[in-house]
Amino acid sequence: MNNLRHMMNPLDFSVEELETLFDLAGEIERDMPGYAHKCDGKILATCFYEPSTRTRLSFETAMLRLGGKCMGFADASNSSAAKGESVADTIRVISCFADICAMRHPKEGAPMVAASRSSIPVINAGDGGHQHPTQTLTDLLTIRSLYGKLSDFTIGLCGDLKFGRTVHSLINALSRYEGIRFIFISPKELKVPDYITEMLRQKNIPYEEVIKLEEVMPQLDFLYMTRVQKERFFNEEDYIRLRNFYILDKEKMAFAKEKMYILHPLPRVNEISVEIDDDPRAAYFKQVQYGLYVRMALILTLLGIE
Ligand code: NCD
Protein backbone atom coordinates (compact mmCIF):
# COMPACT_ATOMS: atom_id res chain seq x y z
CA MET A 1 0.00 0.00 0.00
CA ASN A 2 1.53 3.31 -1.06
CA ASN A 3 -0.05 5.86 1.20
CA LEU A 4 0.26 3.83 4.36
CA ARG A 5 0.84 6.13 7.32
CA HIS A 6 1.25 5.42 10.99
CA MET A 7 1.24 7.60 14.12
CA MET A 8 4.20 6.71 16.30
CA ASN A 9 5.25 10.14 17.50
CA PRO A 10 3.50 13.51 17.36
CA LEU A 11 6.36 14.69 15.13
CA ASP A 12 5.23 12.23 12.42
CA PHE A 13 2.80 14.98 11.38
CA SER A 14 4.02 18.43 10.35
CA VAL A 15 2.67 21.47 12.21
CA GLU A 16 0.47 22.19 9.15
CA GLU A 17 -0.86 18.64 9.09
CA LEU A 18 -1.67 18.92 12.79
CA GLU A 19 -3.58 22.16 12.13
CA THR A 20 -5.67 20.34 9.50
CA LEU A 21 -6.25 17.49 11.95
CA PHE A 22 -7.35 19.89 14.72
CA ASP A 23 -9.65 21.72 12.30
CA LEU A 24 -11.24 18.39 11.43
CA ALA A 25 -11.60 17.58 15.16
CA GLY A 26 -13.33 20.96 15.54
CA GLU A 27 -15.73 20.10 12.70
CA ILE A 28 -16.50 16.79 14.36
CA GLU A 29 -17.18 18.55 17.66
CA ARG A 30 -19.68 20.85 15.92
CA ASP A 31 -21.38 18.16 13.86
CA MET A 32 -20.98 14.67 15.35
CA PRO A 33 -24.00 13.21 13.47
CA GLY A 34 -22.48 14.33 10.17
CA TYR A 35 -19.62 11.85 10.79
CA ALA A 36 -21.73 8.94 12.01
CA HIS A 37 -21.27 6.83 8.85
CA LYS A 38 -17.83 7.85 7.63
CA CYS A 39 -16.30 4.54 8.71
CA ASP A 40 -19.18 2.20 7.86
CA GLY A 41 -17.70 -1.23 7.19
CA LYS A 42 -14.30 -0.42 8.75
CA ILE A 43 -12.77 -2.27 11.68
CA LEU A 44 -10.43 -0.94 14.36
CA ALA A 45 -8.26 -3.41 16.27
CA THR A 46 -7.16 -2.35 19.75
CA CYS A 47 -4.14 -4.38 20.87
CA PHE A 48 -3.42 -3.39 24.46
CA TYR A 49 -0.55 -5.17 26.18
CA GLU A 50 -0.75 -2.76 29.14
CA PRO A 51 -3.71 -1.54 31.24
CA SER A 52 -5.80 1.37 30.01
CA THR A 53 -9.29 2.75 30.47
CA ARG A 54 -9.42 6.09 28.73
CA THR A 55 -7.20 5.51 25.76
CA ARG A 56 -8.67 2.18 24.68
CA LEU A 57 -12.28 3.20 25.28
CA SER A 58 -11.64 6.53 23.61
CA PHE A 59 -10.32 4.77 20.49
CA GLU A 60 -13.21 2.33 20.48
CA THR A 61 -15.78 5.08 21.00
CA ALA A 62 -14.15 7.11 18.23
CA MET A 63 -14.53 4.21 15.77
CA LEU A 64 -18.09 3.42 16.92
CA ARG A 65 -19.09 7.09 16.57
CA LEU A 66 -17.75 6.98 13.02
CA GLY A 67 -19.94 3.99 12.23
CA GLY A 68 -17.15 1.39 12.28
CA LYS A 69 -16.63 -1.66 14.46
CA CYS A 70 -13.97 -2.66 16.98
CA MET A 71 -12.23 -5.83 18.11
CA GLY A 72 -9.03 -6.66 19.93
CA PHE A 73 -7.70 -7.44 23.38
CA ALA A 74 -7.30 -5.42 26.54
CA ASP A 75 -5.04 -7.86 28.29
CA ALA A 76 -2.01 -9.52 26.71
CA SER A 77 -2.51 -12.62 28.84
CA ASN A 78 -5.60 -13.35 26.73
CA SER A 79 -3.71 -13.03 23.46
CA SER A 80 -1.12 -15.21 21.74
CA ALA A 81 1.56 -12.97 23.27
CA ALA A 82 1.10 -15.25 26.28
CA LYS A 83 2.27 -18.13 24.04
CA GLY A 84 5.31 -16.17 22.96
CA GLU A 85 4.09 -14.61 19.70
CA SER A 86 6.04 -11.49 18.65
CA VAL A 87 4.29 -8.16 17.94
CA ALA A 88 5.67 -8.44 14.40
CA ASP A 89 3.69 -11.66 13.84
CA THR A 90 0.63 -10.42 15.73
CA ILE A 91 0.33 -7.34 13.53
CA ARG A 92 0.62 -9.42 10.35
CA VAL A 93 -2.32 -11.43 11.56
CA ILE A 94 -4.27 -8.33 12.64
CA SER A 95 -3.56 -6.79 9.20
CA CYS A 96 -5.62 -9.63 7.67
CA PHE A 97 -8.62 -8.78 9.87
CA ALA A 98 -8.75 -5.04 10.54
CA ASP A 99 -8.34 -1.74 8.67
CA ILE A 100 -6.45 0.14 11.39
CA CYS A 101 -4.82 -0.78 14.71
CA ALA A 102 -4.16 1.08 17.97
CA MET A 103 -1.43 -0.59 20.03
CA ARG A 104 -0.24 -0.02 23.58
CA HIS A 105 2.83 -1.86 24.83
CA PRO A 106 5.04 -1.75 27.94
CA LYS A 107 8.18 -1.94 25.75
CA GLU A 108 9.48 1.24 24.16
CA GLY A 109 9.48 0.88 20.38
CA ALA A 110 7.13 -2.15 20.17
CA PRO A 111 4.42 -0.29 18.18
CA MET A 112 7.18 0.90 15.82
CA VAL A 113 8.25 -2.69 15.19
CA ALA A 114 4.61 -3.53 14.54
CA ALA A 115 4.26 -0.60 12.12
CA SER A 116 7.29 -1.76 10.15
CA ARG A 117 5.58 -5.12 9.51
CA SER A 118 2.04 -3.88 9.09
CA SER A 119 -0.07 -3.41 5.99
CA ILE A 120 -2.61 -1.27 7.90
CA PRO A 121 -2.05 2.03 9.76
CA VAL A 122 -0.76 1.50 13.30
CA ILE A 123 -1.25 4.08 16.04
CA ASN A 124 1.04 4.08 19.06
CA ALA A 125 -1.33 4.21 22.03
CA GLY A 126 1.59 4.48 24.48
CA ASP A 127 4.91 2.60 24.50
CA GLY A 128 6.54 2.19 27.90
CA GLY A 129 7.97 5.44 29.25
CA HIS A 130 8.58 6.69 25.70
CA GLN A 131 5.75 8.34 23.72
CA HIS A 132 1.99 8.70 23.82
CA PRO A 133 1.17 10.64 20.64
CA THR A 134 -2.63 10.54 20.82
CA GLN A 135 -2.59 11.88 24.38
CA THR A 136 -0.40 14.67 23.03
CA LEU A 137 -2.85 15.37 20.19
CA THR A 138 -5.52 15.54 22.89
CA ASP A 139 -3.42 17.94 24.96
CA LEU A 140 -2.63 20.17 21.98
CA LEU A 141 -6.25 20.33 20.88
CA THR A 142 -7.30 21.16 24.45
CA ILE A 143 -4.73 23.96 24.72
CA ARG A 144 -5.67 25.31 21.29
CA SER A 145 -9.38 25.26 22.14
CA LEU A 146 -9.03 26.86 25.58
CA TYR A 147 -6.26 29.34 24.84
CA GLY A 148 -7.01 30.03 21.18
CA LYS A 149 -3.49 29.27 19.94
CA LEU A 150 -0.56 26.95 20.39
CA SER A 151 2.06 29.61 21.03
CA ASP A 152 3.20 32.16 23.59
CA PHE A 153 2.55 30.58 26.95
CA THR A 154 4.31 29.18 29.99
CA ILE A 155 3.52 25.60 30.85
CA GLY A 156 4.48 23.89 34.08
CA LEU A 157 4.78 20.12 33.95
CA CYS A 158 4.59 18.63 37.41
CA GLY A 159 5.11 15.20 38.94
CA ASP A 160 6.75 12.18 37.36
CA LEU A 161 8.67 13.74 34.50
CA LYS A 162 11.07 10.82 34.31
CA PHE A 163 8.71 7.98 33.49
CA GLY A 164 5.68 9.95 32.26
CA ARG A 165 5.42 9.28 28.52
CA THR A 166 2.66 11.87 28.10
CA VAL A 167 5.13 14.49 29.33
CA HIS A 168 7.87 13.36 26.94
CA SER A 169 5.50 13.38 23.99
CA LEU A 170 4.03 16.77 24.86
CA ILE A 171 7.40 18.52 25.28
CA ASN A 172 8.49 17.06 21.96
CA ALA A 173 5.39 18.35 20.22
CA LEU A 174 5.41 21.81 21.84
CA SER A 175 9.06 22.34 20.93
CA ARG A 176 7.90 23.17 17.38
CA TYR A 177 5.74 26.15 18.40
CA GLU A 178 6.81 29.76 19.09
CA GLY A 179 7.10 31.44 22.45
CA ILE A 180 6.69 28.41 24.70
CA ARG A 181 8.46 28.38 28.06
CA PHE A 182 8.68 25.17 30.05
CA ILE A 183 8.89 24.88 33.81
CA PHE A 184 9.63 21.36 35.00
CA ILE A 185 8.47 20.73 38.54
CA SER A 186 9.59 17.44 40.04
CA PRO A 187 11.61 15.87 42.82
CA LYS A 188 15.26 15.24 41.85
CA GLU A 189 14.59 11.54 41.35
CA LEU A 190 11.85 12.16 38.79
CA LYS A 191 13.48 14.83 36.64
CA VAL A 192 12.80 15.03 32.93
CA PRO A 193 15.34 12.84 31.03
CA ASP A 194 18.57 14.46 29.82
CA TYR A 195 17.84 13.76 26.16
CA ILE A 196 14.84 16.08 26.42
CA THR A 197 16.61 19.00 28.15
CA GLU A 198 19.45 18.53 25.65
CA MET A 199 16.96 18.87 22.76
CA LEU A 200 15.53 22.05 24.33
CA ARG A 201 19.02 23.54 24.77
CA GLN A 202 19.89 22.80 21.18
CA LYS A 203 16.73 24.52 19.98
CA ASN A 204 17.24 27.45 22.38
CA ILE A 205 13.89 26.85 24.03
CA PRO A 206 13.71 28.30 27.55
CA TYR A 207 13.15 25.89 30.43
CA GLU A 208 13.60 25.84 34.17
CA GLU A 209 13.75 22.93 36.61
CA VAL A 210 12.37 23.46 40.11
CA ILE A 211 11.22 21.37 43.03
CA LYS A 212 8.55 23.57 44.63
CA LEU A 213 5.27 24.06 42.82
CA GLU A 214 4.09 27.14 44.78
CA GLU A 215 7.23 29.04 43.79
CA VAL A 216 6.46 29.02 40.07
CA MET A 217 2.67 28.80 40.14
CA PRO A 218 2.03 32.56 39.52
CA GLN A 219 3.93 32.37 36.21
CA LEU A 220 1.93 29.52 34.67
CA ASP A 221 -0.70 29.66 31.93
CA PHE A 222 -1.05 25.87 32.03
CA LEU A 223 -0.24 23.38 34.75
CA TYR A 224 0.11 19.81 33.47
CA MET A 225 -0.16 17.50 36.46
CA THR A 226 0.90 13.86 36.25
CA ARG A 227 0.65 10.69 38.27
CA VAL A 228 3.74 9.06 39.77
CA GLN A 229 4.11 6.03 37.47
CA LYS A 230 4.09 3.22 40.02
CA GLU A 231 4.45 0.46 37.43
CA ARG A 232 7.74 1.84 36.10
CA PHE A 233 9.54 2.00 39.44
CA PHE A 234 12.15 -0.59 40.22
CA ASN A 235 11.42 -0.62 43.91
CA GLU A 236 8.33 -0.08 46.02
CA GLU A 237 10.20 1.97 48.64
CA ASP A 238 11.08 4.76 46.18
CA TYR A 239 7.52 4.84 44.93
CA ILE A 240 6.11 5.16 48.45
CA ARG A 241 8.56 7.96 49.24
CA LEU A 242 7.65 9.96 46.12
CA ARG A 243 3.97 9.32 45.56
CA ASN A 244 2.70 12.16 47.78
CA PHE A 245 5.28 14.72 46.72
CA TYR A 246 2.74 16.99 45.00
CA ILE A 247 -0.88 17.35 45.85
CA LEU A 248 -2.65 20.20 44.12
CA ASP A 249 -5.22 21.68 46.48
CA LYS A 250 -7.05 24.97 47.03
CA GLU A 251 -4.17 26.36 49.04
CA LYS A 252 -1.73 25.92 46.15
CA MET A 253 -4.31 27.12 43.62
CA ALA A 254 -4.43 30.44 45.48
CA PHE A 255 -1.03 31.22 43.90
CA ALA A 256 -2.28 30.59 40.35
CA LYS A 257 -3.35 33.06 37.68
CA GLU A 258 -7.07 33.57 37.34
CA LYS A 259 -6.89 31.95 33.89
CA MET A 260 -4.38 29.17 34.50
CA TYR A 261 -5.76 25.90 33.17
CA ILE A 262 -5.05 22.60 34.88
CA LEU A 263 -4.50 19.65 32.58
CA HIS A 264 -3.92 15.99 33.48
CA PRO A 265 -3.80 12.98 31.13
CA LEU A 266 -5.58 10.92 33.82
CA PRO A 267 -5.83 8.54 35.62
CA ARG A 268 -5.41 10.70 38.69
CA VAL A 269 -4.40 9.04 41.93
CA ASN A 270 -4.11 11.74 44.59
CA GLU A 271 -2.05 14.46 42.90
CA ILE A 272 -5.09 16.67 42.33
CA SER A 273 -7.40 16.97 45.29
CA VAL A 274 -11.05 16.41 44.30
CA GLU A 275 -11.87 19.78 45.84
CA ILE A 276 -10.31 21.33 42.71
CA ASP A 277 -12.66 19.55 40.28
CA ASP A 278 -15.27 22.32 40.40
CA ASP A 279 -12.74 25.09 39.86
CA PRO A 280 -13.42 26.57 36.38
CA ARG A 281 -9.69 26.23 35.67
CA ALA A 282 -9.81 22.43 36.02
CA ALA A 283 -9.80 21.26 32.39
CA TYR A 284 -8.91 17.57 32.75
CA PHE A 285 -12.37 16.16 32.07
CA LYS A 286 -12.84 18.49 29.09
CA GLN A 287 -9.52 17.11 27.88
CA VAL A 288 -11.04 13.60 27.74
CA GLN A 289 -13.80 14.93 25.47
CA TYR A 290 -11.26 16.55 23.14
CA GLY A 291 -9.43 13.21 23.07
CA LEU A 292 -12.45 11.61 21.46
CA TYR A 293 -12.73 14.26 18.72
CA VAL A 294 -9.05 14.12 17.90
CA ARG A 295 -8.98 10.31 17.73
CA MET A 296 -11.98 10.40 15.38
CA ALA A 297 -10.09 12.90 13.24
CA LEU A 298 -6.94 10.76 13.33
CA ILE A 299 -8.75 7.57 12.31
CA LEU A 300 -10.34 9.37 9.34
CA THR A 301 -7.02 10.90 8.34
CA LEU A 302 -5.00 7.67 8.52
CA LEU A 303 -7.71 5.78 6.62
CA GLY A 304 -7.68 8.51 3.96
CA ILE A 305 -11.42 9.18 4.38
CA GLU A 306 -12.55 12.70 3.42
C1 NCD B 1 -1.43 8.05 30.63
C2 NCD B 1 -0.60 6.92 30.11
O1 NCD B 1 -1.09 5.80 29.92
O2 NCD B 1 0.57 7.17 29.87
N1 NCD B 1 -2.78 7.81 30.60
C3 NCD B 1 -3.49 8.00 29.46
O3 NCD B 1 -3.34 7.31 28.50
N2 NCD B 1 -4.34 9.03 29.43
C4 NCD B 1 -0.97 8.60 31.91
C5 NCD B 1 -0.77 7.68 33.06
O4 NCD B 1 -0.96 6.47 32.97
O5 NCD B 1 -0.41 8.21 34.12
Side-chain angles (χ1 to χ4, degrees):
M1 219 192 281
N2 282 336
N3 296 326
L4 183 60
R5 264 193 108 170
H6 308 287
M7 170 55 84
M8 291 296 119
N9 184 312
L11 304 188
D12 290 350
F13 275 39
S14 68
V15 168
E16 294 70 32
E17 285 174 320
L18 288 184
E19 277 304 301
T20 309
L21 186 81
F22 297 146
D23 287 343
L24 177 57
E27 287 284 319
I28 293 171
E29 178 183 6
R30 282 186 291 279
D31 178 25
M32 197 70 128
Y35 289 82
H37 296 287
K38 294 279 183 192
C39 281
D40 280 355
K42 299 286 183 196
I43 296 180
L44 164 77
T46 48
C47 300
F48 276 58
Y49 296 81
E50 218 187 39
S52 163
T53 310
R54 226 155 335 272
T55 307
R56 187 173 55 81
L57 296 185
S58 172
F59 268 115
E60 295 186 358
T61 308
M63 191 46 137
L64 294 171
R65 291 261 180 218
L66 290 165
K69 294 193 166 61
C70 308
M71 54 85 161
F73 53 87
D75 179 354
S77 64
N78 285 334
S79 80
S80 282
K83 300 180 188 167
E85 186 175 58
S86 65
V87 286
D89 280 3
T90 303
I91 196 67
R92 283 187 178 177
V93 172
I94 297 287
S95 294
C96 302
F97 302 150
D99 299 284
I100 184 163
C101 172
M103 179 180 284
R104 168 169 288 191
H105 205 286
K107 283 210 181 100
E108 283 84 358
M112 180 95 90
V113 171
S116 72
R117 294 283 186 275
S118 179
S119 55
I120 59 172
V122 178
I123 303 170
N124 176 4
D127 61 329
H130 187 219
Q131 296 281 324
H132 192 345
T134 59
Q135 181 60 48
T136 298
L137 299 182
T138 302
D139 301 340
L140 295 180
L141 178 63
T142 309
I143 294 174
R144 186 186 186 255
S145 305
L146 297 175
Y147 192 71
K149 57 182 180 177
L150 277 165
S151 58
D152 306 303
F153 57 79
T154 298
I155 181 165
L157 295 111
C158 177
D160 187 345
L161 310 187
K162 179 177 181 184
F163 297 114
R165 58 191 168 200
T166 61
V167 167
H168 306 158
S169 249
L170 181 59
I171 300 170
N172 228 3
L174 284 176
S175 73
R176 296 193 296 186
Y177 296 90
E178 295 293 315
I180 312 274
R181 219 177 117 231
F182 292 99
I183 304 188
F184 301 134
I185 308 144
S186 74
K188 278 200 307 306
E189 295 87 339
L190 298 178
K191 271 171 61 166
V192 81
D194 290 344
Y195 78 89
I196 292 184
T197 44
E198 179 57 35
M199 176 276 289
L200 293 175
R201 271 199 300 276
Q202 271 177 17
K203 291 180 143 185
N204 268 324
I205 297 172
Y207 74 89
E208 237 178 277
E209 294 183 281
V210 301
I211 296 176
K212 279 197 88 174
L213 175 58
E214 296 89 317
E215 223 171 76
V216 292
M217 197 76 140
Q219 303 176 41
L220 307 180
D221 300 300
F222 290 94
L223 172 59
Y224 195 92
M225 291 297 291
T226 61
R227 166 180 80 88
V228 175
Q229 306 271 304
K230 180 179 183 187
E231 67 278 28
R232 305 201 200 285
F233 272 78
F234 295 110
N235 72 67
E236 179 90 9
E237 224 172 88
D238 285 350
Y239 169 69
I240 292 171
R241 193 164 47 82
L242 295 168
R243 68 181 169 184
N244 296 331
F245 210 90
Y246 299 107
I247 297 179
L248 184 64
D249 54 15
K250 280 194 172 156
E251 222 170 281
K252 292 200 183 78
M253 281 303 287
F255 294 93
K257 281 187 189 171
E258 210 181 306
K259 287 207 86 176
M260 184 203 76
Y261 294 105
I262 310 161
L263 305 177
H264 192 308
L266 304 179
R268 143 178 76 182
V269 184
N270 61 349
E271 58 281 356
I272 302 180
S273 158
V274 290
E275 67 183 23
I276 303 296
D277 293 357
D278 297 326
D279 189 308
R281 294 168 288 187
Y284 29 94
F285 291 114
K286 265 191 216 138
Q287 218 174 327
V288 178
Q289 189 70 53
Y290 286 121
L292 173 65
Y293 304 137
V294 91
R295 287 189 176 94
M296 289 173 75
L298 182 64
I299 290 172
L300 289 173
T301 305
L302 292 180
L303 288 177
I305 295 171
E306 288 296 310

